[in-house]
Amino acid sequence: MKKSHIVILAFSILLLVLGLGMTVCGALSGAPHAYSYHHGPGFWYYSVRYDSALPAPSAPAYTSFGHLAFDAGLVLMVIFVILRHSSRNDEELRGKERKAERIDAARARAEAVDAEVHEENGTGDRQ
């Protein structure tokens, strides 16, 4: 694999993980929170528990950027697959060309040996 393909793959995986992390962080910070306070170090003891339905101000931003990063990671993954597929086709084509060149070279060597043998035997065309 080329280094550029590896870089694209690593960056796409990083964006996918970052997108998932930011989306989860935004969802958790946007969920209602339950707070409880316990007071009373002495004889009297009381506790207060209340739920806050207000999300954190950064929750929608985390969620939006998380979706954006995840989508960018998916797009880079598709680009990686396309580049990898095209490079495989190029490698197969190069392999076929190399094989044809080897066959041509072997045929040329065989013909050259035959020509030398005929000349040494005196059956070659000399003028």
Side-chain angles (χ1 to χ4, degrees):
M1 240 191 310
K2 292 182 179 179
K3 287 184 181 181
S4 61
H5 294 170
I6 293 172
V7 168
I8 290 174
L9 179 64
F11 197 60
S12 67
I13 290 172
L14 177 73
L15 281 174
L16 288 172
V17 170
L18 182 69
L20 284 174
M22 289 180 73
T23 303
V24 167
C25 182
L28 290 178
S29 64
H33 297 303
Y35 298 99
S36 61
Y37 296 102
H38 301 287
H39 297 284
F43 181 73
W44 296 100
Y45 178 79
Y46 67 94
S47 65
V48 176
R49 183 176 193 281
Y50 66 93
D51 294 330
S52 171
L54 294 174
S58 61
Y62 277 131
T63 306
S64 298
F65 285 123
H67 288 293
L68 192 66
F70 187 79
D71 292 343
L74 288 178
V75 168
L76 278 178
M77 191 67 72
V78 168
I79 290 171
F80 167 75
V81 169
I82 290 170
L83 288 175
R84 184 72 180 136
H85 182 68
S86 67
S87 69
R88 274 193 188 158
N89 290 342
D90 291 344
E91 288 174 6
E92 290 175 6
L93 184 62
R94 281 189 221 119
K96 289 179 183 177
E97 288 174 355
R98 276 189 243 122
K99 185 176 179 182
E101 287 173 1
R102 278 189 239 127
I103 291 171
D104 290 342
R107 187 178 300 134
R109 270 188 255 123
E111 290 174 359
V113 169
D114 286 343
E116 289 175 7
V117 168
H118 290 299
E119 283 184 17
E120 288 177 5
N121 293 336
T123 59
D125 294 328
R126 290 188 182 178
Q127 292 179 355

